[in-house]
């Protein structure tokens, strides 16, 4: 037999193996996070006596502890990166103090979002959760969602107190992101059509836009480089596509509830708060659209020449 036949013979038992592994990791019977959490040491956390349906105190406090640890670690890493970059790069050291922190903050945000998106388990779990609505069948999907939320919002929280002179729209965006993401810590698989799912969806789409934050940092340090001009166009294209898909999905979700007469006050409040986040997205898209690499390079060269003796 040829190499192809031999390869097929080797691969033939793989579907059965994957099926057995899938049943071992994700039991066909729905398993709530309450039951999963009760089987772990986290069950030592005292449960609230009158917890409503879908509320998991154990998972909530576990996620909050992870968030606190992540904030401390992110703060240390950002300060270390700030000090190292000042020593290693003359370009970075010449920047104003608040611009230096602006660069570090955006690099940190880009790294966190890229880590989420490049995770090998993130894509299939988001598919099973958001597209197939199998949160209850796949408890691990909820766990990955909450850990992704921690990575998504940790840089927003740290930049609020590390980065000076932050625009008001950005501050509002970061604060609302932190509040919304905290709501996801209450989520479990029984809340399939809840607002918390849509908050996670907004963050999931936003994670795909990590090149935008990377560009925002690099255009300050390297405005005269050609690759930054290419990165600007890539960032604009990615951001427009991500925001369009995100807003369309949200609009269809809310419209379907209105059409079926199942819309709730909480859903309406969430949709009413979204413009505060969308406004910052639109401001950034308009800025990316009007960004001129040649003008930015000219300003950089002029400032550099002025500082020379």
């Amino acid at each position: 037999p040829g190499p192809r036949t031999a390869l097929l013979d080797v691969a033939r038992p793989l579907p059965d193996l994957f099926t057995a592994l899938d049943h071992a990791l994700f039991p066909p019977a729905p398993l709530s996070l309450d039951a999963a959490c009760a089987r772990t040491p986290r069950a030592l956390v005292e449960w609230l006596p009158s917890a409503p349906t879908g509320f998991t105190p154990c998972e909530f406090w576990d996620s909050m502890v992870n968030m606190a640890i992540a904030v401390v670690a992110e703060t240390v890493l950002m300060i270390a990166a700030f000090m190292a970059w000042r020593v290693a790069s003359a370009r970075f050291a010449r920047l104003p103090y608040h611009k230096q922190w602006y660069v570090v903050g955006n690099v940190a945000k880009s790294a966190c979002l890229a880590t989420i998106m490049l995770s090998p388990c993130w894509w299939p779990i988001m598919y099973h959760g958001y597209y197939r609505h199998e949160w209850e069948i796949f408890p691990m999907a909820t766990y990955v969602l909450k850990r992704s939320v921690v990575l998504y919002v940790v840089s927003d929280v740290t930049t609020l107190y590390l980065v000076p002179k932050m625009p008001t729209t950005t501050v509002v965006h970061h604060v609302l992101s932190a509040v919304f993401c905290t709501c996801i810590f209450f989520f479990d698989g029984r809340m399939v059509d809840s607002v918390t799912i849509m908050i996670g969806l907004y963050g999931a789409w936003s994670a795909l836009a990590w090149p935008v934050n990377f560009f925002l940092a690099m255009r300050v340090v390297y405005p005269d480089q050609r690759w930054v001009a290419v990165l600007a166009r890539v960032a604009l294209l990615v951001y427009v596509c991500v925001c369009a898909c995100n807003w369309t999905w949200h609009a269809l979700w809310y419209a379907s509830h209105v059409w079926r007469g199942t819309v709730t006050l909480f859903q309406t409040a969430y949709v009413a708060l979204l413009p505060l986040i969308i406004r910052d997205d639109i401001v950034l898209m308009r800025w990316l659209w009007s960004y001129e690499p040649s003008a930015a390079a000219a300003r950089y060269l002029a400032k550099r020449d002025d500082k020379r003796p």
Side-chain angles (χ1 to χ4, degrees), residues 155-234:
S155 58
D156 289 348
V157 174
T158 51
T159 53
L160 283 174
Y161 57 83
L162 285 179
V163 179
K165 297 184 179 181
M166 187 178 293
T168 304
T169 55
T170 305
V171 172
V172 173
H173 183 282
H174 287 356
V175 171
L176 285 178
S177 295
V179 173
F180 283 160
C181 288
T182 304
C183 296
I184 299 179
F185 295 159
F186 290 95
F187 168 75
D188 79 349
R190 290 169 289 180
M191 305 163 67
V192 174
D193 198 26
S194 65
V195 171
T196 51
I197 278 288
M198 301 309 295
I199 295 174
L201 177 68
Y202 203 103
W205 279 110
S206 299
L208 301 178
W210 65 269
V212 177
N213 292 94
F214 186 70
F215 160 72
L216 291 176
M218 295 299 101
R219 58 101 187 178
V220 176
V221 186
Y222 307 103
D224 57 329
Q225 301 296 315
R226 291 185 178 180
W227 61 269
V228 175
V230 176
L231 183 60
R233 301 312 174 198
V234 172

Side-chain angles (χ1 to χ4, degrees), residues 5-308:
T5 305
L7 183 61
L8 290 177
D9 291 339
V10 173
R12 189 170 290 112
L14 289 181
D16 295 334
L17 177 63
F18 289 149
T19 301
L21 182 63
D22 180 69
H23 286 177
L25 294 176
F26 309 111
L31 178 65
S32 70
L33 282 179
D34 290 341
C37 187
R39 300 176 185 176
T40 69
R42 288 175 293 173
L44 297 175
V45 179
E46 183 177 359
W47 288 70
L48 296 181
S50 58
T53 301
F55 178 72
T56 54
C58 182
E59 275 293 316
F60 172 76
W61 292 115
D62 179 73
S63 299
M64 291 298 291
V65 169
N66 277 270
M67 172 64 77
I69 295 173
V71 168
V72 173
E74 182 82 357
T75 302
V76 173
L77 289 174
M78 286 181 64
I79 293 175
F82 174 80
M83 298 173 64
W85 212 339
R86 286 182 62 126
V87 174
S89 174
R91 281 175 174 260
F92 183 82
R94 285 195 297 264
L95 296 173
Y97 179 77
H98 69 281
K99 286 289 187 180
Q100 293 175 358
W101 275 114
Y102 173 86
V103 170
V104 173
N106 274 288
V107 169
K109 180 69 173 181
S110 176
C112 289
L113 297 183
T115 301
I116 295 172
M117 194 200 73
L118 297 177
S119 171
C121 64
W122 187 75
W123 290 93
I125 283 180
M126 291 301 101
Y127 166 76
H128 283 286
Y130 287 112
Y131 184 74
R132 301 187 63 176
H133 302 288
E134 294 175 344
W135 296 103
E136 190 173 358
I137 299 176
F138 292 86
M140 184 58 70
T142 308
Y143 183 86
V144 171
L145 172 65
K146 294 183 180 182
R147 297 307 169 266
S148 301
V149 166
V150 170
L151 271 178
Y152 179 89
V153 79
V154 63
S155 58
D156 289 348
V157 174
T158 51
T159 53
L160 283 174
Y161 57 83
L162 285 179
V163 179
K165 297 184 179 181
M166 187 178 293
T168 304
T169 55
T170 305
V171 172
V172 173
H173 183 282
H174 287 356
V175 171
L176 285 178
S177 295
V179 173
F180 283 160
C181 288
T182 304
C183 296
I184 299 179
F185 295 159
F186 290 95
F187 168 75
D188 79 349
R190 290 169 289 180
M191 305 163 67
V192 174
D193 198 26
S194 65
V195 171
T196 51
I197 278 288
M198 301 309 295
I199 295 174
L201 177 68
Y202 203 103
W205 279 110
S206 299
L208 301 178
W210 65 269
V212 177
N213 292 94
F214 186 70
F215 160 72
L216 291 176
M218 295 299 101
R219 58 101 187 178
V220 176
V221 186
Y222 307 103
D224 57 329
Q225 301 296 315
R226 291 185 178 180
W227 61 269
V228 175
V230 176
L231 183 60
R233 301 312 174 198
V234 172
L236 176 61
L237 178 62
V238 170
Y239 206 49
V240 169
C241 293
V242 165
C243 289
C245 294
N246 205 350
W247 299 341
T248 300
W249 196 319
H250 273 74
L252 293 175
W253 166 76
Y254 187 72
S256 67
H257 280 287
V258 173
W259 178 260
R260 293 179 303 189
T262 57
V263 65
T264 65
L265 182 61
F266 193 33
Q267 292 169 344
T268 303
Y270 168 66
V271 172
L273 287 174
L274 277 181
L276 297 177
I277 296 180
I278 293 175
R279 180 190 175 190
D280 190 54
D281 293 333
I282 293 176
V283 169
L284 181 53
M285 272 193 287
R286 292 176 61 183
W287 185 88
L288 287 171
W289 177 263
S290 60
Y291 176 75
E292 289 293 339
S294 57
R299 288 194 299 269
Y300 169 78
L301 295 174
K303 290 181 180 179
R304 187 189 64 180
D305 293 338
D306 290 341
K307 291 181 180 180
R308 289 179 176 175

